């Protein structure tokens, strides 16, 4: 896998293939652009969480692939265009992460006493070692559910933040709300079943 | 460290512009996990990841066949098998409005 961006000529050819709906072009674009975009962000923001680099690069490329016609070759090269989007997406992600930094959320999800959503489970005296149970249960959740649970424990209220984490950007706001609610309900039911041993 | 291609392939399951969207619908309809889907197509998990990142084909029959042939050839899959998977996925429900419009595709070499 190359971390070097294709030449301007190759990049433009790939861009043209995308505009023509060449069915193999999106894959080629991912292989050609994604590692290089990630490397760009790693170089520009070396001390950041590596997951943020990868997520922002993915977000940027997704934005481009959804609307490739927005890139105007007469105004500059594709590399600069993609890097600008990636930088913007990275800074947005970083801003959101900072907003919730006051909530100490260890990987185990285990001892976040600030989660109102799970307060009933965590506070229940009859559930011995409930926090460790919760951490073990959380780790058995699918990756997407873990992302949602993390947001719930951070007391995230914004539907669009959940929708982004769940890759529901293509849905209307109303559909996003419905899907996000379903996901939260599903996660809570699974956790409650696990804690209650039902 | 998160592999961005893995992240992208994961997102492709839910994004109508990718072939991964159709594969996901097929897999769910047949209750197949990734390993079972790859086995059904006769490919490795690595190739499945790449296949997810291909574009969603046009639904007009003659263009669909041509584009499926291109995809199948590029990933070492039998064209008939891949066509069957796509037709099954499309039968589940039509693609959303955000799926790519049907345009010309390059003629195979």
């Amino acid at each position: 896998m190359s971390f070097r961006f294709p030449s301007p000529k190759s990049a433009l050819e790939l861009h043209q293939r995308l505009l023509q709906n060449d069915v193999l072009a999106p894959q080629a674009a991912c292989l050609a652009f994604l590692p290089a975009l990630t490397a760009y962000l790693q170089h520009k923001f070396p001390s950041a969480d590596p997951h943020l680099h990868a997520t922002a690069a993915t977000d940027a490329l997704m934005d481009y692939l959804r609307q490739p016609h927005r890139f105007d070759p007469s105004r500059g090269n594709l590399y600069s265009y993609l890097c600008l989007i990636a930088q913007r997406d990275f800074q947005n992600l970083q801003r959101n992460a900072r907003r919730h930094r006051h909530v100490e959320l260890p990987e185990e999800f285990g001892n976040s006493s600030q989660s109102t959503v799970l307060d009933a489970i965590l506070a229940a005296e009859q559930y011995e070692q409930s926090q460790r149970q919760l951490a073990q249960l959380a780790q058995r959740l699918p990756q997407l559910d873990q992302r949602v649970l993390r947001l719930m424990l951070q007391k995230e209220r914004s539907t669009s933040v959940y929708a982004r984490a769940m890759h529901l950007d293509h849905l209307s706001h109303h559909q996003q709300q419905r899907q996000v609610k379903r996901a939260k309900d599903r996660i809570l039911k699974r956790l409650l079943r696990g804690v209650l041993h039902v | 460290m998160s592999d961005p291609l893995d992240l992208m392939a994961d997102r492709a399951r839910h994004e109508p512009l990718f072939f991964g969207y159709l594969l996901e619908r097929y897999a769910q309809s047949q209750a197949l996990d990734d390993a079972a889907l790859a086995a059904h197509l006769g490919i490795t998990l690595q190739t499945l990841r790449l296949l997810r990142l291909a574009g969603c084909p046009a639904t007009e029959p003659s263009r669909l066949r041509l584009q499926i042939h291109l995809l199948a050839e590029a990933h070492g899959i039998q064209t008939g098998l891949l066509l069957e998977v796509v037709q099954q996925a499309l039968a589940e429900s039509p693609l959303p409005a955000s799926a790519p419009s049907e345009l010309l595709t390059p003629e195979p070499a």
Side-chain angles (χ1 to χ4, degrees), chain A residues 28 33 40 59-60 95 105 107 134 169 180 195:
Chain A
F33 301 152
Y40 164 76
D59 285 349
R95 203 175 304 127
L105 194 68
E107 285 182 9
L134 180 60
D169 308 273
V180 167
V195 172

Side-chain angles (χ1 to χ4, degrees), chain A residues 1-2 14 18 24-38 58 61-62 64-65, chain B residues 4-5 8-9 12 17-18 49-50 52-54:
Chain A
M1 193 189 311
S2 171
L14 193 36
L18 284 167
L24 289 169
Q27 182 193 85
C30 290
L31 291 170
F33 301 152
L34 201 46
L37 271 182
T38 309
T58 307
L61 192 59
M62 188 65 83
Y64 165 65
L65 290 174
Chain B
L5 283 171
M8 199 67 163
L17 77 90
F18 286 106
R49 181 178 82 158
L50 287 175
R52 287 202 161 101
L53 296 174

